[in-house]
Amino acid sequence: MKFNNLCVIGLGYIGLPTASMFAANGLNVLGIDINPAIVETLQNGGLHIHEPGLGEAVQQAVRTGRLRVAIRPEPADAFIIAVPTPFEEKDFGVFNGEKYKKADMSAVAAAAESIVPHLRPGNLVVLESTSPPRTTTDLVAPILEKSGLKAGVDFYLAYSPERVLPGQILRELVENARVIGGITPESAQAGRDLYAVFVKGEIILTDATTAEMVKLMENTYRDVNIAIANEFARLAERLGVDVWEAISLANRHPRVKILSPGPGVGGHCISVDPWFLVEAAPDITPLIQRARHVNDSQPHHVFELVERALGGLRGRRITALGLAYKPNVDDLRESPAIEVVRLLQEAGANVKCFEPFKPNADLPGLTLTPTLEAALAGTEALILLVGHTQFREMNPLHVAAQTSARLAIDTVNGWPAQAWKEAGFRLLRLGNGK
Ligand code: SAJ
């Protein structure tokens, strides 16, 4: 099948790079976002998210006329839905006395509704948003069928999970293997014809529900692996072991690959997706739920570490370095670093925060400084919460000259102990009980 006109609904971290990639490969793409401010920004050559290389890619696509943006869909040969699927804040389930979070699927439902008036026989619709298992067949198909057309008979319908890593999206979009699950084999095949336009990685076809599961399993596997790393860190602290050394030695085993402990798991993917599996079957997912609780409690563990190190928090002046959910991104969603800062403030500490990727972020209740210098001045302790390259490469001698703090707490194994000690700091590291 050949596709000329494509409509991509949702211009966030996934939809926008995908739209510009298709445009760069010769399709006429209409990008849709319900937020008029985003549409206007893009129309004026701006960008509302930070991702290396994306600005140039979008500008190029807009310049050639291949990428247009608007707030409402138009008829097309294919439609891609790439809208967010966050938590439903007020809606949660309870199993065995413990709460579990539920997905808010209203944006997916609204996107599918917006396609209905434009759906034509022979069209392809692909859902990319991470979704609970069976969303494509049980939520999206019935909505699209309000058009009077039958899914899998009159139009093709598929699910294709996006697996790109923020920070490397443009490369991974092309190179990663892509799973495409159709509600019929013909739907999967139609999906292959579309993505083969730019995907260089292997394209593997399956059914829609399997494709949904694959995505959730990948992120859940990573979450559970990080949870065990965090638990190892707690054990190491109690048992007088340096967990970083122990993990690097364990990882010399050919079949072991333990991930890194840290202040917790953030972002809109790994900290969210496992709940979609729990929601589907809370009674048979105790391990997944435990792992989520371990990772969600890690900011509190860091809080206790800081409290012990300072011998109390009330009135203490602390500098938090990094607020993003992981290194070298500007994304603050579900960030454990922000959670650590909130806990410290609730206990009476005065915390100044510096986030180089978003120095002016609007975070109610938090004090952000515009520069590193301002963050370092007049403080008692530095906490490294995110391993941004800029922080890892800081020269401790320069830092020592700019701050009165002599206590440095490293939650991500980002600072070389010897150099910091030589510069006069007492360096404490998460997971180091030595
Ligand atoms: N983290 C650790 N320890 C580690 C690795 C990560 O604590 O060893 C933390 C990070 O600091 C961060 C969180 O976990 O707070 C998640 O970061 P990440 O880099 O593991 O993943 P994401 O959320 O940026 O992207 C993930 C990726 N999934 C997998 O690696 C299986 C990506 O490929 C997916 O496309 C993305 O989720 C998504 O959109 O689902």
Side-chain angles (χ1 to χ4, degrees), residues 9-10 14-15 80-86 104-109 111-112 126-133 135-136 139-140 158-162 178 195 208 211-213 215-216 268 273 276:
I9 303 173
I14 301 301
I80 291 177
I81 300 175
V83 295
T85 48
D104 175 357
M105 299 305 290
S106 57
V108 170
V126 184
L127 175 64
E128 283 202 16
S129 311
T130 305
S131 303
T135 296
T136 309
L139 177 73
V140 176
Y159 180 82
S160 183
E162 192 44 70
R178 180 173 280 271
Y195 287 98
E212 291 164 346
M213 272 288 281
K215 166 74 187 190
L216 299 173
H268 51 295
D273 299 359
F276 293 0

Side-chain angles (χ1 to χ4, degrees), residues 163-166 215 219 222 226 259-260 266 269-270 325-326:
R163 300 136 104 201
V164 289
L165 198 68
K215 166 74 187 190
N219 280 354
R222 198 163 167 82
I226 298 169
L259 291 174
S260 304
C269 305
I270 303 218
Y325 85 92
K326 71 171 190 177

Side-chain angles (χ1 to χ4, degrees), residues 24-103:
N25 285 275
L27 271 74
N28 298 313
V29 184
L30 179 65
I32 305 298
D33 204 291
I34 53 162
N35 184 340
I38 290 179
V39 171
E40 203 185 313
T41 302
L42 292 170
Q43 277 168 342
N44 294 332
L47 195 64
H48 58 294
I49 49 183
H50 168 88
E51 174 64 30
L54 184 60
E56 300 83 74
V58 171
Q59 276 166 16
Q60 171 74 11
V62 171
R63 245 197 321 272
T64 59
R66 292 274 185 208
L67 175 62
R68 290 179 301 126
V69 287
I71 52 172
R72 263 181 290 277
E74 292 173 10
D77 304 319
F79 298 85
I80 291 177
I81 300 175
V83 295
T85 48
F87 296 133
E88 175 83 80
E89 279 306 329
K90 291 175 286 305
D91 189 18
F92 54 83
V94 178
F95 183 75
N96 270 353
E98 286 212 318
K99 285 184 184 175
Y100 62 86
K101 303 186 185 183
K102 284 185 167 181

Side-chain angles (χ1 to χ4, degrees), residues 121-198:
N123 280 173
L124 165 67
V125 181
V126 184
L127 175 64
E128 283 202 16
S129 311
T130 305
S131 303
R134 305 200 65 81
T135 296
T136 309
T137 52
D138 296 357
L139 177 73
V140 176
I143 294 175
L144 294 174
E145 288 179 346
K146 290 184 192 172
S147 62
L149 302 174
K150 182 122 189 61
V153 177
D154 302 316
F155 66 94
Y156 303 107
L157 177 58
Y159 180 82
S160 183
E162 192 44 70
R163 300 136 104 201
V164 289
L165 198 68
Q168 320 185 12
I169 292 182
L170 290 178
R171 184 172 60 74
E172 291 207 352
L173 210 50
V174 174
E175 292 176 5
N176 284 2
R178 180 173 280 271
V179 174
I180 301 179
I183 64 157
T184 57
E186 295 75 23
S187 290
Q189 185 57 49
R192 181 204 291 271
D193 293 344
L194 177 64
Y195 287 98
V197 166
F198 71 78

Side-chain angles (χ1 to χ4, degrees), residues 3-26:
F3 300 91
N4 297 313
N5 300 310
L6 172 68
C7 195
V8 178
I9 303 173
L11 298 178
Y13 283 93
I14 301 301
L16 187 57
T18 304
S20 66
M21 199 59 89
F22 275 112
N25 285 275

Side-chain angles (χ1 to χ4, degrees), residues 270-282:
I270 303 218
S271 71
V272 179
D273 299 359
W275 290 118
F276 293 0
L277 291 176
V278 172
E279 177 181 348

